[in-house]
Amino acid sequence: MTILDVVMENDDSGLKLIRSIRDKLALLDMRIILRTGQPGFAPEEQVISDYEINDYIMKTETTRSKLFTSLCSAIRSYQQLCIISEARDFLQRLTIMNSELISQTTFTSFVQCLVHNSLELFSASGSGLLLIDQGKKKGEPTRFEIEYSSESTHQFVGQNFEDALSDDIVVKIKQTILSQTSYTHGSDLILFIPSKSCSVILILFDVYPNIIRPELIQSFVSNIASDVDNSLLLKQISNIAYLDSLTKLPNRTKFIEDLDSLHKSNKQIKSVTLIDIEHFSDINDGLGQDYGNLLLVAVAERLSSEFSESVMIYRVAADVFGVISTKASLEESEILSVFDLP
């Protein structure tokens, strides 16, 4: 806030300074009180109309009470403008963040984008942690597990939060789960996000002293809840299209797509192998389809556990599995040795 005289070095110095403040310095929120003892140089109605000032005071009418009232009004209006500006900036950045989240094609990239962009949005200097209620996703009792961590707890992904995190953080998370509301605990912000498909807890460390108004936090939670539902729906659709429901391996469509993708990207494919289970129909006919399914699951688990990440396993037909290796060529004997033990 500033109080300006109209007449200083020149008769219109104060008016020129107002132009500089608004136009050159772009200080549009600053409250300007114009104070003059010579209204002939700056008539009140003309100045109010032509210049962006917030109050006009005659020196002859200036009393302690008048000055106090003008100052309090200016300060309060500036505080309100700051709140509006903060909300506008936050919502604009949230809109950009939503666009980035919607563009993510996998749930893994979605949660990474969510955590890192949230740290930036709330100006957090610490790490971020995302928990998902795996129980709700499967229709079971509440069981929050670590889905993603930006830093030191990355090795605990997939574990129950009570087994992986420190006692003080566990207490804070339990309070959030019981109340199902978002909290600020010291310098940490714990956000409870109740989407339709599952409940999510987002923890941002070292957010203080960046104080975000509760209504903005609620707006963030509502937007992210919708984004989580959309991403999980996309994951389900992707699973239907590319995942075999029995063995949980990528299916024939994914097998063909990955071969095309590797070929187009000029990545070297060391070997492509098809594994056919002999006399599988006899097992189905003699023991029943349930035992046949158990055999398929067992073969899928054996292949997945025996080979490294550079070897991709697929179920490409009823009793046929596909194997793509990008780092080392797989010989027939090496593949068959996987099944030497019962």
Side-chain angles (χ1 to χ4, degrees):
M1 189 197 73
T2 182
I3 300 176
L4 290 179
D5 273 336
V6 175
V7 180
M8 292 185 282
E9 296 88 351
N10 299 306
D11 294 343
D12 60 349
S13 294
L15 300 179
K16 289 181 178 179
L17 183 55
I18 293 172
R19 293 289 192 197
S20 296
I21 290 174
R22 298 304 193 199
D23 299 336
K24 294 183 179 180
L25 300 179
L27 299 176
L28 304 181
D29 293 340
M30 177 184 284
R31 304 293 86 190
I32 299 176
I33 300 175
L34 194 64
R35 179 172 173 266
T36 181
Q38 299 175 356
F41 289 105
E44 182 175 355
E45 291 185 6
Q46 182 182 347
V47 171
I48 288 289
S49 176
D50 296 343
Y51 296 87
E52 293 183 42
I53 64 172
N54 306 105
D55 202 354
Y56 184 101
I57 301 177
M58 295 285 294
K59 290 183 179 179
T60 56
E61 299 174 357
T62 302
T63 63
R64 179 185 178 279
S65 177
K66 173 67 175 177
L67 187 59
F68 178 80
T69 301
S70 296
L71 289 173
C72 287
S73 298
I75 292 172
R76 284 175 182 161
S77 64
Y78 180 74
Q79 289 175 333
Q80 292 168 353
L81 286 173
C82 287
I83 293 172
I84 294 171
S85 178
E86 174 195 2
R88 182 179 62 247
D89 179 64
F90 183 89
L91 293 175
Q92 286 176 345
R93 290 186 290 144
L94 179 58
T95 300
I96 295 173
M97 177 178 169
N98 274 330
S99 299
E100 292 186 26
L101 290 173
I102 292 172
S103 68
Q104 303 304 311
T105 56
T106 67
F107 189 69
T108 300
S109 63
F110 171 83
V111 296
Q112 292 177 357
C113 181
L114 172 58
V115 172
H116 289 286
N117 283 17
S118 297
L119 288 170
E120 183 177 347
L121 179 65
F122 288 96
S123 302
S125 59
S127 59
L129 194 65
L130 187 77
L131 312 179
I132 290 184
D133 184 2
Q134 300 292 341
K136 184 176 180 180
K137 285 174 61 178
K138 301 176 182 178
E140 301 172 355
T142 298
R143 189 179 75 257
F144 279 92
E145 295 180 359
I146 299 175
E147 183 73 21
Y148 180 76
S149 173
S150 63
E151 287 187 5
S152 58
T153 55
H154 186 69
Q155 69 271 24
F156 299 122
V157 170
Q159 296 186 29
N160 189 295
F161 74 93
E162 295 182 73
D163 301 327
L165 303 177
S166 60
D167 291 341
D168 60 326
I169 298 298
V170 168
V171 171
K172 295 175 183 178
I173 294 174
K174 286 183 175 180
Q175 291 175 354
T176 302
I177 294 173
L178 288 174
S179 64
Q180 296 192 359
T181 54
S182 300
Y183 280 103
T184 300
H185 295 272
S187 61
D188 304 330
L189 180 60
I190 303 181
L191 301 168
F192 185 83
I193 305 172
S195 69
K196 294 180 181 179
S197 51
C198 69
S199 296
V200 175
I201 293 178
L202 176 62
I203 307 171
L204 306 175
F205 297 100
D206 296 330
V207 176
Y208 184 85
N210 299 287
I211 302 173
I212 304 297
R213 298 180 66 81
E215 55 268 27
L216 295 180
I217 291 178
Q218 184 56 47
S219 178
F220 173 86
V221 168
S222 300
N223 276 271
I224 298 305
S226 177
D227 291 338
V228 169
D229 284 332
N230 291 336
S231 183
L232 285 173
L233 179 60
L234 180 64
K235 181 181 179 182
Q236 292 172 2
I237 294 173
S238 178
N239 287 344
I240 293 172
Y242 295 111
L243 198 68
D244 176 59
S245 59
L246 176 64
T247 62
K248 308 304 179 186
L249 290 176
N251 59 16
R252 178 188 181 90
T253 303
K254 184 64 173 172
F255 177 71
I256 296 172
E257 188 174 290
D258 283 351
L259 281 175
D260 288 340
S261 177
L262 289 170
H263 176 70
K264 290 177 181 178
S265 62
N266 295 321
K267 290 185 178 179
Q268 191 171 16
I269 302 175
K270 293 294 185 179
S271 64
V272 178
T273 309
L274 295 178
I275 304 171
D276 187 7
I277 302 177
E278 292 185 347
H279 308 296
F280 180 73
S281 59
D282 295 337
I283 296 173
N284 263 346
D285 295 339
L287 299 177
Q289 186 176 351
D290 290 342
Y291 283 94
N293 288 343
L294 289 173
L295 175 61
L296 291 171
V297 172
V299 171
E301 291 177 349
R302 181 70 63 87
L303 290 171
S304 299
S305 62
E306 291 294 328
F307 293 114
S308 65
E309 293 182 357
S310 63
V311 178
M312 296 174 284
I313 314 296
Y314 306 81
R315 185 188 178 194
V316 299
D319 59 347
V320 180
F321 293 84
V323 180
I324 301 175
S325 177
T326 56
K327 288 191 176 179
S329 179
L330 292 177
E331 301 295 334
E332 179 181 350
S333 58
E334 186 178 357
I335 295 175
L336 291 177
S337 66
V338 172
F339 303 100
D340 285 346
L341 295 176

Short mmCIF file of all heavy atoms in Angstrom, two decimals, residues 250-284:
data_model
loop_
_atom_site.label_atom_id
_atom_site.label_comp_id
_atom_site.label_asym_id
_atom_site.label_seq_id
_atom_site.Cartn_x
_atom_site.Cartn_y
_atom_site.Cartn_z
N PRO A 250 0.60 -61.17 -20.37
CA PRO A 250 0.15 -60.49 -21.58
C PRO A 250 -0.35 -61.51 -22.61
O PRO A 250 0.18 -62.62 -22.69
CB PRO A 250 1.41 -59.77 -22.07
CG PRO A 250 2.27 -59.64 -20.85
CD PRO A 250 1.99 -60.83 -20.01
N ASN A 251 -1.35 -61.12 -23.39
CA ASN A 251 -1.97 -62.07 -24.31
C ASN A 251 -1.38 -61.98 -25.72
O ASN A 251 -0.38 -61.32 -25.96
CB ASN A 251 -3.49 -61.87 -24.33
CG ASN A 251 -3.87 -60.46 -24.77
OD1 ASN A 251 -3.05 -59.72 -25.34
ND2 ASN A 251 -5.10 -60.07 -24.51
N ARG A 252 -2.04 -62.66 -26.67
CA ARG A 252 -1.56 -62.72 -28.05
C ARG A 252 -1.50 -61.32 -28.68
O ARG A 252 -0.54 -60.99 -29.39
CB ARG A 252 -2.50 -63.62 -28.86
CG ARG A 252 -2.14 -63.74 -30.34
CD ARG A 252 -3.24 -64.48 -31.09
NE ARG A 252 -2.91 -64.63 -32.50
CZ ARG A 252 -2.26 -65.64 -33.01
NH1 ARG A 252 -1.84 -66.64 -32.23
NH2 ARG A 252 -2.01 -65.71 -34.31
N THR A 253 -2.53 -60.50 -28.41
CA THR A 253 -2.54 -59.14 -28.97
C THR A 253 -1.33 -58.34 -28.52
O THR A 253 -0.68 -57.65 -29.31
CB THR A 253 -3.84 -58.41 -28.55
OG1 THR A 253 -4.97 -59.17 -28.97
CG2 THR A 253 -3.90 -57.03 -29.15
N LYS A 254 -1.01 -58.44 -27.23
CA LYS A 254 0.15 -57.74 -26.69
C LYS A 254 1.45 -58.31 -27.25
O LYS A 254 2.42 -57.57 -27.50
CB LYS A 254 0.14 -57.85 -25.16
CG LYS A 254 1.25 -57.07 -24.47
CD LYS A 254 1.13 -55.57 -24.68
CE LYS A 254 2.13 -54.81 -23.84
NZ LYS A 254 2.14 -53.37 -24.18
N PHE A 255 1.49 -59.61 -27.48
CA PHE A 255 2.66 -60.29 -28.05
C PHE A 255 2.97 -59.72 -29.44
O PHE A 255 4.11 -59.33 -29.73
CB PHE A 255 2.37 -61.79 -28.13
CG PHE A 255 3.46 -62.61 -28.76
CD1 PHE A 255 4.66 -62.84 -28.11
CD2 PHE A 255 3.27 -63.18 -30.02
CE1 PHE A 255 5.67 -63.61 -28.69
CE2 PHE A 255 4.26 -63.94 -30.61
CZ PHE A 255 5.47 -64.15 -29.94
N ILE A 256 1.95 -59.63 -30.27
CA ILE A 256 2.13 -59.10 -31.63
C ILE A 256 2.49 -57.61 -31.58
O ILE A 256 3.37 -57.14 -32.32
CB ILE A 256 0.85 -59.32 -32.45
CG1 ILE A 256 0.60 -60.82 -32.62
CG2 ILE A 256 0.94 -58.64 -33.80
CD1 ILE A 256 -0.73 -61.16 -33.25
N GLU A 257 1.82 -56.86 -30.71
CA GLU A 257 2.08 -55.42 -30.61
C GLU A 257 3.51 -55.15 -30.15
O GLU A 257 4.18 -54.24 -30.66
CB GLU A 257 1.08 -54.79 -29.64
CG GLU A 257 1.13 -53.27 -29.61
CD GLU A 257 0.04 -52.67 -28.77
OE1 GLU A 257 -1.14 -52.74 -29.18
OE2 GLU A 257 0.35 -52.12 -27.70
N ASP A 258 3.99 -55.92 -29.17
CA ASP A 258 5.36 -55.72 -28.67
C ASP A 258 6.40 -56.08 -29.73
O ASP A 258 7.44 -55.41 -29.85
CB ASP A 258 5.59 -56.56 -27.41
CG ASP A 258 4.94 -55.95 -26.19
OD1 ASP A 258 4.46 -54.81 -26.27
OD2 ASP A 258 4.89 -56.63 -25.14
N LEU A 259 6.12 -57.12 -30.51
CA LEU A 259 7.05 -57.47 -31.60
C LEU A 259 7.13 -56.34 -32.61
O LEU A 259 8.23 -55.96 -33.05
CB LEU A 259 6.58 -58.76 -32.30
CG LEU A 259 6.90 -60.09 -31.60
CD1 LEU A 259 6.27 -61.25 -32.35
CD2 LEU A 259 8.41 -60.29 -31.48
N ASP A 260 5.98 -55.79 -32.98
CA ASP A 260 5.98 -54.66 -33.92
C ASP A 260 6.70 -53.45 -33.34
O ASP A 260 7.46 -52.77 -34.04
CB ASP A 260 4.53 -54.28 -34.26
CG ASP A 260 3.85 -55.31 -35.15
OD1 ASP A 260 4.58 -56.09 -35.79
OD2 ASP A 260 2.61 -55.34 -35.19
N SER A 261 6.44 -53.17 -32.06
CA SER A 261 7.05 -52.02 -31.41
C SER A 261 8.58 -52.16 -31.34
O SER A 261 9.31 -51.20 -31.62
CB SER A 261 6.47 -51.85 -30.00
OG SER A 261 7.09 -50.78 -29.33
N LEU A 262 9.05 -53.35 -31.00
CA LEU A 262 10.50 -53.58 -30.92
C LEU A 262 11.14 -53.46 -32.30
O LEU A 262 12.24 -52.92 -32.45
CB LEU A 262 10.77 -54.97 -30.33
CG LEU A 262 10.48 -55.13 -28.84
CD1 LEU A 262 10.54 -56.60 -28.44
CD2 LEU A 262 11.46 -54.32 -28.00
N HIS A 263 10.43 -53.95 -33.32
CA HIS A 263 10.97 -53.88 -34.69
C HIS A 263 11.05 -52.43 -35.17
O HIS A 263 12.06 -52.01 -35.75
CB HIS A 263 10.08 -54.71 -35.61
CG HIS A 263 10.50 -54.62 -37.06
ND1 HIS A 263 11.67 -55.21 -37.53
CD2 HIS A 263 9.92 -54.02 -38.13
CE1 HIS A 263 11.79 -54.96 -38.83
NE2 HIS A 263 10.74 -54.24 -39.21
N LYS A 264 10.00 -51.63 -34.91
CA LYS A 264 9.96 -50.25 -35.36
C LYS A 264 10.98 -49.37 -34.63
O LYS A 264 11.48 -48.40 -35.18
CB LYS A 264 8.56 -49.68 -35.18
CG LYS A 264 7.54 -50.29 -36.14
CD LYS A 264 6.15 -49.74 -35.87
CE LYS A 264 5.12 -50.36 -36.81
NZ LYS A 264 3.75 -49.87 -36.53
N SER A 265 11.27 -49.72 -33.38
CA SER A 265 12.22 -48.92 -32.59
C SER A 265 13.67 -49.37 -32.81
O SER A 265 14.58 -48.87 -32.15
CB SER A 265 11.87 -49.02 -31.10
OG SER A 265 11.97 -50.36 -30.64
N ASN A 266 13.86 -50.35 -33.70
CA ASN A 266 15.20 -50.86 -34.03
C ASN A 266 15.90 -51.50 -32.84
O ASN A 266 17.14 -51.57 -32.81
CB ASN A 266 16.08 -49.74 -34.61
CG ASN A 266 15.56 -49.23 -35.95
OD1 ASN A 266 15.08 -50.01 -36.77
ND2 ASN A 266 15.63 -47.93 -36.15
N LYS A 267 15.12 -51.95 -31.86
CA LYS A 267 15.72 -52.68 -30.75
C LYS A 267 15.96 -54.13 -31.17
O LYS A 267 15.12 -54.74 -31.82
CB LYS A 267 14.80 -52.63 -29.52
CG LYS A 267 14.72 -51.27 -28.88
CD LYS A 267 13.89 -51.31 -27.60
CE LYS A 267 13.85 -49.95 -26.93
NZ LYS A 267 13.04 -49.96 -25.70
N GLN A 268 17.11 -54.63 -30.78
CA GLN A 268 17.50 -55.97 -31.23
C GLN A 268 16.71 -57.04 -30.48
O GLN A 268 16.61 -57.03 -29.26
CB GLN A 268 18.99 -56.18 -31.01
CG GLN A 268 19.52 -57.44 -31.69
CD GLN A 268 21.02 -57.50 -31.65
OE1 GLN A 268 21.64 -56.78 -30.88
NE2 GLN A 268 21.61 -58.37 -32.46
N ILE A 269 16.12 -57.95 -31.23
CA ILE A 269 15.41 -59.08 -30.65
C ILE A 269 16.32 -60.31 -30.79
O ILE A 269 16.63 -60.75 -31.90
CB ILE A 269 14.07 -59.34 -31.37
CG1 ILE A 269 13.18 -58.09 -31.30
CG2 ILE A 269 13.35 -60.53 -30.77
CD1 ILE A 269 11.90 -58.21 -32.10
N LYS A 270 16.76 -60.85 -29.66
CA LYS A 270 17.70 -61.98 -29.68
C LYS A 270 17.00 -63.28 -30.07
O LYS A 270 17.54 -64.09 -30.81
CB LYS A 270 18.36 -62.12 -28.31
CG LYS A 270 19.30 -60.97 -27.94
CD LYS A 270 20.51 -60.94 -28.86
CE LYS A 270 21.51 -59.88 -28.41
NZ LYS A 270 22.70 -59.85 -29.29
N SER A 271 15.78 -63.47 -29.56
CA SER A 271 15.07 -64.71 -29.89
C SER A 271 13.58 -64.56 -29.61
O SER A 271 13.18 -63.81 -28.73
CB SER A 271 15.62 -65.89 -29.08
OG SER A 271 15.39 -65.69 -27.69
N VAL A 272 12.80 -65.27 -30.42
CA VAL A 272 11.35 -65.38 -30.23
C VAL A 272 11.01 -66.86 -30.24
O VAL A 272 11.33 -67.58 -31.19
CB VAL A 272 10.57 -64.65 -31.34
CG1 VAL A 272 9.07 -64.82 -31.12
CG2 VAL A 272 10.94 -63.17 -31.38
N THR A 273 10.36 -67.33 -29.16
CA THR A 273 10.11 -68.76 -28.99
C THR A 273 8.64 -69.01 -28.67
O THR A 273 8.03 -68.24 -27.92
CB THR A 273 10.97 -69.34 -27.85
OG1 THR A 273 12.34 -68.97 -28.05
CG2 THR A 273 10.84 -70.85 -27.78
N LEU A 274 8.09 -70.07 -29.25
CA LEU A 274 6.74 -70.52 -28.91
C LEU A 274 6.84 -71.84 -28.18
O LEU A 274 7.53 -72.76 -28.62
CB LEU A 274 5.88 -70.67 -30.17
CG LEU A 274 5.56 -69.39 -30.94
CD1 LEU A 274 4.75 -69.71 -32.18
CD2 LEU A 274 4.81 -68.40 -30.06
N ILE A 275 6.17 -71.93 -27.03
CA ILE A 275 6.20 -73.13 -26.19
C ILE A 275 4.81 -73.76 -26.20
O ILE A 275 3.85 -73.15 -25.75
CB ILE A 275 6.62 -72.79 -24.75
CG1 ILE A 275 7.99 -72.08 -24.75
CG2 ILE A 275 6.65 -74.04 -23.89
CD1 ILE A 275 8.38 -71.52 -23.40
N ASP A 276 4.72 -74.98 -26.71
CA ASP A 276 3.44 -75.69 -26.81
C ASP A 276 3.41 -76.84 -25.80
O ASP A 276 4.36 -77.63 -25.73
CB ASP A 276 3.26 -76.23 -28.23
CG ASP A 276 1.88 -76.82 -28.46
OD1 ASP A 276 1.03 -76.70 -27.55
OD2 ASP A 276 1.66 -77.41 -29.54
N ILE A 277 2.37 -76.89 -25.00
CA ILE A 277 2.22 -77.98 -24.02
C ILE A 277 1.64 -79.20 -24.73
O ILE A 277 0.50 -79.18 -25.21
CB ILE A 277 1.30 -77.56 -22.85
CG1 ILE A 277 1.85 -76.31 -22.17
CG2 ILE A 277 1.15 -78.70 -21.85
CD1 ILE A 277 0.97 -75.79 -21.06
N GLU A 278 2.43 -80.27 -24.81
CA GLU A 278 1.98 -81.48 -25.51
C GLU A 278 0.87 -82.19 -24.72
O GLU A 278 0.91 -82.23 -23.48
CB GLU A 278 3.15 -82.44 -25.72
CG GLU A 278 4.19 -81.91 -26.73
CD GLU A 278 5.26 -82.93 -27.01
OE1 GLU A 278 5.35 -83.93 -26.26
OE2 GLU A 278 6.03 -82.73 -27.97
N HIS A 279 -0.07 -82.74 -25.47
CA HIS A 279 -1.16 -83.54 -24.90
C HIS A 279 -1.98 -82.77 -23.88
O HIS A 279 -2.55 -83.35 -22.95
CB HIS A 279 -0.61 -84.83 -24.26
CG HIS A 279 0.27 -85.63 -25.17
ND1 HIS A 279 -0.20 -86.21 -26.33
CD2 HIS A 279 1.60 -85.94 -25.09
CE1 HIS A 279 0.80 -86.84 -26.95
NE2 HIS A 279 1.90 -86.69 -26.21
N PHE A 280 -2.06 -81.45 -24.08
CA PHE A 280 -2.84 -80.65 -23.13
C PHE A 280 -4.32 -81.00 -23.20
O PHE A 280 -5.01 -81.04 -22.17
CB PHE A 280 -2.65 -79.16 -23.42
CG PHE A 280 -3.42 -78.25 -22.50
CD1 PHE A 280 -3.02 -78.07 -21.18
CD2 PHE A 280 -4.55 -77.59 -22.94
CE1 PHE A 280 -3.74 -77.25 -20.33
CE2 PHE A 280 -5.27 -76.76 -22.09
CZ PHE A 280 -4.87 -76.58 -20.78
N SER A 281 -4.82 -81.29 -24.39
CA SER A 281 -6.23 -81.66 -24.52
C SER A 281 -6.55 -82.95 -23.78
O SER A 281 -7.65 -83.13 -23.26
CB SER A 281 -6.60 -81.79 -26.00
OG SER A 281 -5.79 -82.78 -26.63
N ASP A 282 -5.55 -83.88 -23.73
CA ASP A 282 -5.77 -85.13 -22.98
C ASP A 282 -5.93 -84.86 -21.49
O ASP A 282 -6.73 -85.51 -20.81
CB ASP A 282 -4.60 -86.09 -23.21
CG ASP A 282 -4.49 -86.54 -24.66
OD1 ASP A 282 -5.53 -86.47 -25.36
OD2 ASP A 282 -3.39 -86.93 -25.08
N ILE A 283 -5.15 -83.88 -20.99
CA ILE A 283 -5.27 -83.52 -19.56
C ILE A 283 -6.65 -82.92 -19.29
O ILE A 283 -7.30 -83.27 -18.29
CB ILE A 283 -4.16 -82.51 -19.18
CG1 ILE A 283 -2.79 -83.15 -19.34
CG2 ILE A 283 -4.36 -81.99 -17.75
CD1 ILE A 283 -1.63 -82.20 -19.15
N ASN A 284 -7.10 -82.05 -20.18
CA ASN A 284 -8.43 -81.44 -20.02
C ASN A 284 -9.52 -82.50 -20.06
O ASN A 284 -10.46 -82.49 -19.25
CB ASN A 284 -8.67 -80.41 -21.12
CG ASN A 284 -8.37 -78.99 -20.65
OD1 ASN A 284 -8.22 -78.74 -19.46
ND2 ASN A 284 -8.26 -78.08 -21.59
#
